Amino acid sequence: MKKNITFLGIETSCDETAAAVIQENEDNSAMILSNIVSSQIKEHEKFGGVVPELAARAHVENIDFIINKALNDSKLSMEEIDGIAATAGPGLMVCLTVGLNIGKSIAAFANKPFVAVNHLEGHALSPGLENKIKFPYLLLLISGGHSQYLIVKDIGKYEQLGTTIDDALGEAFDKTAKMLDLGYPGGPNIEKFSKLGDKNFYKLPEPIINRAGCNLSFAGLKTAVLRESKNINGDLQLKYNLAASFQNTVNKILMKKTKEAMRQFKNKTTLKEEVSFVVAGGVAANQSIRENLTLVCNEMNFKPLFPNLKFCGDNAAMIAWAGIKRYKKKLINKLDFAAKSRWPLDPTARYLKGPGLKL
Ligand code: KG4
Ligand code: ZN
């Protein structure tokens, strides 16, 4: 196998149209040759959330330009690229198919290997873009669609320790921001306005905090925010207090559940040395969450690792990187690979959603 491997990555699973060219060097470090992300915030702002058909249309309109820009910025010709990786799931079907189809077409026309990447594996391996990281490590993946604790054992090998039984954390941030009329996307705005509020003003519920292992639940918290938001009557200070109290409650839940996940990790592995704890996904951009989980790491003897902000949210650098890692393991896909709206990293994990759920 060649010493340096270079992949074009394509990502269109939700509301970011992204393409990147990443090289893996001989020493296994990553070189970001280009990393282009076009966000669709403007398209979805007035609806307060992602509208799948509008997102798909924006992907179709932008994807050629974004891929060309990624290739031009990398200063490489197509001949110098070793393979193409595109996100094939999980995500919005109408969006996934845009990037997946163009990825497959480029691979077919340029006669390059194609790797269908699980978006969650992209997030899971994203710390490798900036750090040398050893398997196994503990991962908290918190994004708009997922909230999970996973043991990352190797490429393609994951053990889920816990997951949300209802809303994803990013979704809870976005809905809270919508209820408080703090704009879209909600996460960064909740973080911003929390700084102006009293985080102890509201006592909000901490669902399943003392049970169900390191599974998570945010629906009850969101409902409590809705109830309190009805009594705010435009009072800005109360609004900021509620934002701050919401974020503070999220931090309390994550601290408690992270300790539990770390205990489970230690019980399942026999490692003596310090292990990395990675927080990935869009919500990992939140500074207060980073600070609080760093405290937990210090207490539990884990090494905190937070990807750079540009690799927390959706991007194609992580997709190209996961593509390279899979390619090196000969995990190459055929061009008839179909998009998957649901695609768990640990296929043996119980699906913890729906009525009648018992924990
Ligand atoms: O990983 P991501 O870009 O897309 C998905 O795969 O879902 O995550 C997007 C989510 C959104 O819900 C957004 O509100 C949230 O990440 N987010 C944040 C922050 N920045 C983005 N949540 C809390 N604090 C932030 N600073
Ligand atoms: Zn994501």
Side-chain angles (χ1 to χ4, degrees):
M1 193 165 281
K2 263 177 72 185
K3 286 178 184 156
N4 293 337
I5 308 222
T6 308
F7 257 62
L8 166 68
I10 300 169
E11 156 66 38
T12 62
S13 66
C14 190
D15 59 341
E16 326 278 356
T17 316
V21 178
I22 305 297
Q23 177 178 305
E24 190 194 49
N25 300 318
E26 215 174 319
D27 66 356
N28 297 124
S29 62
M31 196 143 80
I32 319 291
L33 300 181
S34 63
N35 182 26
I36 314 295
V37 181
S38 161
S39 168
Q40 302 177 359
I41 288 176
K42 288 262 166 311
E43 275 86 347
H44 304 292
E45 208 166 20
K46 53 183 170 296
F47 303 101
V50 178
V51 183
E53 281 69 24
L54 290 184
R57 193 194 305 174
H59 286 313
V60 171
E61 281 165 6
N62 294 325
I63 191 75
D64 290 357
F65 174 79
I66 299 294
I67 291 175
N68 274 324
K69 179 145 179 54
L71 287 170
N72 285 339
D73 285 8
S74 77
K75 308 223 172 2
L76 294 183
S77 65
M78 192 42 99
E79 288 74 57
E80 292 168 287
I81 297 218
D82 298 302
I84 317 293
T87 304
L92 301 166
M93 285 302 270
V94 281
C95 294
L96 286 165
T97 46
V98 178
L100 182 59
N101 284 342
I102 202 154
K104 291 196 279 197
S105 310
I106 296 171
F109 279 108
N111 200 20
K112 302 280 175 186
F114 174 73
V115 180
V117 172
N118 182 320
H119 179 85
L120 305 177
E121 181 156 57
H123 279 302
L125 302 180
S126 63
L129 286 165
E130 303 165 283
N131 308 277
K132 283 214 161 143
I133 180 164
K134 274 200 282 182
F135 297 117
Y137 53 90
L138 179 64
L139 169 72
L140 169 60
L141 174 57
I142 34 179
S143 68
H146 297 87
S147 304
Q148 307 178 336
Y149 288 99
L150 293 146
I151 302 180
V152 182
K153 297 178 172 175
D154 201 345
I155 315 299
K157 290 207 177 85
Y158 300 88
E159 180 177 345
Q160 184 180 298
L161 299 178
T163 183
T164 177
I165 60 165
D166 40 55
D167 292 351
L169 185 51
E171 199 182 342
F173 266 96
D174 292 339
K175 287 188 179 150
T176 294
K178 197 171 177 181
M179 290 184 269
L180 298 181
D181 211 11
L182 289 178
Y184 170 86
N189 287 332
I190 293 281
E191 178 168 19
K192 184 167 133 201
F193 290 108
S194 287
K195 295 198 176 89
L196 308 173
D198 173 1
K199 66 179 184 185
N200 297 312
F201 191 87
Y202 290 97
K203 174 90 188 94
L204 299 171
E206 298 154 7
I208 67 169
I209 192 157
N210 291 318
R211 62 186 181 92
C214 59
N215 288 305
L216 298 157
S217 167
F218 299 107
L221 172 59
K222 185 186 67 184
T223 311
V225 171
L226 176 65
R227 204 168 41 241
E228 297 293 355
S229 69
K230 291 190 173 140
N231 301 320
I232 281 180
N233 300 323
D235 184 321
L236 274 185
Q237 191 54 55
L238 286 180
K239 200 186 260 201
Y240 301 152
N241 291 349
L242 190 46
S245 301
F246 165 80
Q247 188 174 268
N248 188 41
T249 308
V250 166
N251 272 306
K252 283 200 231 162
I253 296 170
L254 289 183
M255 288 175 84
K256 182 89 196 277
K257 294 290 183 175
T258 299
K259 273 189 208 172
E260 173 58 26
M262 288 175 170
R263 271 192 287 271
Q264 289 188 20
F265 183 100
K266 284 182 180 170
N267 284 340
K268 283 172 183 278
T269 53
T270 49
L271 294 170
K272 293 278 173 286
E273 73 261 39
E274 197 181 43
V275 167
S276 296
F277 172 61
V278 174
V279 188
V283 187
N286 187 292
Q287 286 305 327
S288 77
I289 292 178
R290 287 177 175 228
E291 283 159 21
N292 282 301
L293 293 183
T294 302
L295 296 177
V296 174
C297 282
N298 295 342
E299 189 186 326
M300 300 293 289
N301 200 23
F302 275 74
K303 184 174 167 234
L305 235 173
F306 304 103
N308 187 303
L309 292 195
K310 62 175 180 271
F311 301 130
C312 283
D314 288 347
N315 65 87
M318 67 181 192
I319 302 303
W321 184 243
I324 291 173
K325 295 293 175 186
R326 294 187 74 80
Y327 169 72
K328 284 177 71 184
K329 292 203 147 217
K330 304 200 171 23
L331 298 168
I332 294 162
N333 298 102
K334 295 206 180 106
L335 294 179
D336 62 356
F337 196 99
K340 304 182 194 193
S341 60
R342 207 181 152 262
W343 189 3
L345 281 179
D346 176 358
T348 66
R350 229 178 108 207
Y351 186 58
L352 289 180
K353 275 189 183 172
L357 176 67
K358 287 200 179 68
L359 288 170

